[in-house]
Amino acid sequence: MPENTSYRVVQWTTGNVGRRSVRAIVAHANLELVGCYAYGEDKVGQDVGVLAGLDPIGVLATNDIDALLTLAPDCISYNPLWPDVDVICRLLEAGIHVATTAAFITGHGLGEAARTRIQASCIKGRAAIFGSGMNPGFANMLGLVSAGICDRIDRITVTESVDASGYASAETQQSVGFGHPITHPDLHQMVERGTAVFGDGVYMMADALSVDLTEVRCESQFAVATQDHDLGFMRIDEGCVAGVQASWHGMVGDRSVIELRVLWKMGEHMEPDWPLEHGYLVRVEGQPEVRTKLEIRPPKGFQAKSFEDFMQLGMIITSMPAINAIPHLCRAAPGIRGYGDLPLITGAGLVSTS
């Protein structure tokens, strides 16, 4: 990509992840922020730089989609909590590429009707959509790269093992079972719906590995709080879910060849009290067997005034895989695109030179 190539980007939402996307777009040598969509009326008309904690940059937030379309952006950085298929299709049909972190990798988790509709919108508008994030997304790519040194791959397992209590979104946590009575009859259904995007990750990895899956299925386990927990943004009472394990399996016949697992805990007192690895683990069973662990740590000199400051690192690693893909996505063939469809995504354009 020539050094002077610049792509016009509209940021969609300025929530936790969206604010980090704004900062990255502004800092990126090959991206130009030309507009921003905001849900809240209190944000409309405000400078996007200020909303993201920067100095004013001269771009004002709006909730007028038509006005944003007239800007003719190359790409939308789409960061709402959940995807809106109507909106995504409208953007794609307008010929605008979409790089998203909103629970989208391949679209399988949205249902076949929605996925087919999104693919058709890509073709109609000659645009592409790419979904990523830390996990699923980058962590899956780490699994694919780790398997690249094997001459036989029997199974790839990617596990996220973290304390989830710092993710202060009660809506998100409750959607996967946290805080509900351990006897709730729909706990597995909650996990299956709330983590459906991990099924997307299984399909993406299978596609990259040229594996035809016969089934993708979800399994779940839960840990119960043995005393009350007040997490500030939500409560988990004794007898309610304080730990969630979910695993999505890509099956070939009766054999699981791709597994995406999460182990999330909130609070200190639960049964069973599963040990945490505090990071992302890849295990490749085959020849040779490969084990890779990714740990995320603050930069040198980082001083957090609150736990929320520390959690900004989580927002950064969620936003950046999609932001760094934008230059490649803008040159991709129309359609739903994954890591196997794009060139190597790096941090080009963001290297510090001082």
Side-chain angles (χ1 to χ4, degrees):
M1 181 175 61
E3 289 186 8
N4 61 352
T5 301
S6 181
Y7 297 97
R8 294 164 56 82
V9 181
V10 163
Q11 174 59 36
W12 203 275
T13 73
T14 56
N16 290 331
V17 175
R19 289 194 295 272
R20 299 310 312 195
S21 293
V22 168
R23 288 172 171 243
I25 295 167
V26 170
H28 201 290
N30 299 109
L31 303 179
E32 177 189 3
L33 185 66
V34 297
C36 178
Y37 179 86
Y39 285 116
E41 289 287 346
D42 58 323
K43 296 181 179 181
V44 172
Q46 291 198 47
D47 189 283
V48 179
V50 174
L51 290 174
L54 303 172
D55 291 333
I57 60 175
V59 176
L60 303 183
T62 181
N63 58 5
D64 185 340
I65 298 178
D66 288 328
L68 292 173
L69 294 181
T70 62
L71 297 172
D74 297 298
C75 188
I76 301 287
S77 168
Y78 187 74
N79 300 139
L81 187 59
W82 303 109
D84 184 321
V85 175
D86 290 339
V87 168
I88 289 173
C89 290
R90 181 177 179 185
L91 299 174
L92 292 169
E93 289 176 10
I96 304 169
H97 305 292
V98 176
T100 180
T101 61
F104 183 96
I105 303 292
T106 64
H108 286 86
L110 298 176
E112 193 55 38
R115 185 174 187 274
T116 298
R117 184 181 167 198
I118 290 171
Q119 177 69 14
S121 295
C122 288
I123 302 305
K124 181 177 180 179
R126 299 195 56 77
I129 181 172
F130 172 81
S132 190
M134 180 60 223
N135 188 36
F138 182 82
N140 308 137
M141 187 60 187
L142 183 63
L144 293 171
V145 171
S146 297
I149 58 173
C150 301
D151 67 4
R152 191 189 76 247
I153 302 167
D154 298 326
R155 174 162 51 205
I156 304 176
T157 303
V158 181
T159 302
E160 176 179 315
S161 177
V162 297
D163 181 342
S165 58
Y167 186 45
S169 172
E171 177 188 2
T172 304
Q173 303 289 28
Q174 291 165 354
S175 73
V176 294
F178 281 110
H180 293 281
I182 196 69
T183 55
H184 196 297
D186 297 328
L187 285 180
H188 175 75
Q189 287 74 20
M190 291 180 194
V191 167
E192 191 166 23
R193 288 193 302 268
T195 65
V197 69
F198 285 87
D200 277 19
V202 170
Y203 280 109
M204 183 272 286
M205 293 181 69
D207 182 65
L209 293 166
S210 299
V211 174
D212 292 324
L213 300 175
T214 54
E215 180 188 5
V216 174
R217 66 188 185 206
C218 177
E219 299 177 359
S220 62
Q221 299 179 52
F222 304 92
V224 60
T226 55
Q227 67 181 57
D228 294 348
H229 297 135
D230 186 351
L231 301 171
F233 64 95
M234 67 178 289
R235 284 181 57 85
I236 297 178
D237 295 328
E238 181 179 354
C240 294
V241 174
V244 175
Q245 285 198 53
S247 56
W248 283 85
H249 300 257
M251 308 295 295
V252 175
D254 60 357
R255 190 164 65 89
S256 178
V257 296
I258 299 170
E259 297 183 6
L260 302 188
R261 299 177 172 271
V262 298
L263 194 168
W264 297 323
K265 292 169 58 174
M266 295 208 294
E268 298 180 356
H269 304 280
M270 66 192 69
E271 181 62 39
D273 190 9
W274 303 308
L276 290 177
E277 292 284 351
H278 302 288
Y280 303 85
L281 298 95
V282 170
R283 179 184 179 187
V284 183
E285 298 170 65
Q287 182 172 281
E289 182 160 307
V290 182
R291 293 173 182 263
T292 307
K293 182 175 182 179
L294 177 66
E295 295 180 339
I296 309 298
R297 298 181 181 274
K300 186 180 296 185
F302 180 85
Q303 294 183 341
K305 298 179 181 178
S306 66
F307 193 67
E308 287 71 25
D309 290 342
F310 182 81
M311 288 308 295
Q312 288 298 310
L313 299 177
M315 304 305 114
I316 293 170
I317 64 176
T318 299
S319 68
M320 292 314 301
I323 294 296
N324 282 324
I326 289 175
H328 297 307
L329 183 64
C330 289
R331 302 192 300 276
I336 298 172
R337 297 293 159 222
Y339 275 102
D341 302 309
L342 302 181
L344 177 64
I345 297 172
T346 70
L350 292 167
V351 177
S352 174
T353 57
S354 61

